[in-house]
Amino acid sequence: MESFLVYTAGVTFAVFLLYFIGVAIAPYKPDSVKNDHFECGLPASSDQPKRANYGFFVYAIMFIAADMTGLFFTLFVFDLKGHSALVAGLFALLMGGAITLAMRELQIHDKGLSR
């Protein structure tokens, strides 16, 4: 339990440190567009909206899944029990299956658009 608290404190400290470094070195150049209140981004450049690519959505979801998997596996570094490797292996199989299904769905969607 003590190592988990050290890990949590270290991650929290690193996040705040990176945030404050980013605030310290970021340029401050406000202009009318940045200070304007808008709900859906910048004004449209044309009257006809552009379609979003489905692949970008799948890529973002897979990135989040991989990111959470990495975080999940770092927690097993501090576990001294033997069954944590089994849980990590099952979780890796689950994530591999989910990513495989997502890639298959992306390929099916892309084939449907190319017809």
Side-chain angles (χ1 to χ4, degrees):
M1 184 66 172
E2 180 182 304
S3 60
F4 178 74
L5 292 176
V6 171
Y7 173 77
T8 305
V11 169
T12 304
F13 176 73
V15 167
F16 280 111
L17 180 68
L18 289 174
Y19 172 75
F20 287 122
I21 289 173
V23 168
I25 63 174
Y28 181 71
K29 296 180 182 178
D31 61 358
S32 62
V33 175
K34 288 183 182 179
N35 290 332
D36 190 24
H37 297 288
F38 55 90
E39 294 180 13
C40 298
L42 296 173
S45 59
S46 68
D47 293 334
Q48 187 174 12
K50 296 180 182 177
R51 294 186 60 168
N53 188 354
Y54 182 74
F56 292 136
F57 175 72
V58 172
Y59 183 79
I61 295 298
M62 288 174 40
F63 177 79
I64 291 170
D67 192 37
M68 294 309 294
T69 303
L71 175 66
F72 188 71
F73 282 132
T74 58
L75 295 177
F76 287 116
V77 172
F78 299 106
D79 190 18
L80 301 176
K81 297 180 181 176
H83 73 280
S84 63
L86 176 65
V87 173
L90 291 174
F91 186 73
L93 287 173
L94 178 70
M95 291 308 298
I99 290 173
T100 302
L101 289 174
M103 292 303 294
R104 205 174 277 168
E105 180 69 26
L106 179 62
Q107 289 173 351
I108 290 171
H109 187 268
D110 285 346
K111 287 179 184 176
L113 290 177
S114 63
R115 290 182 189 172

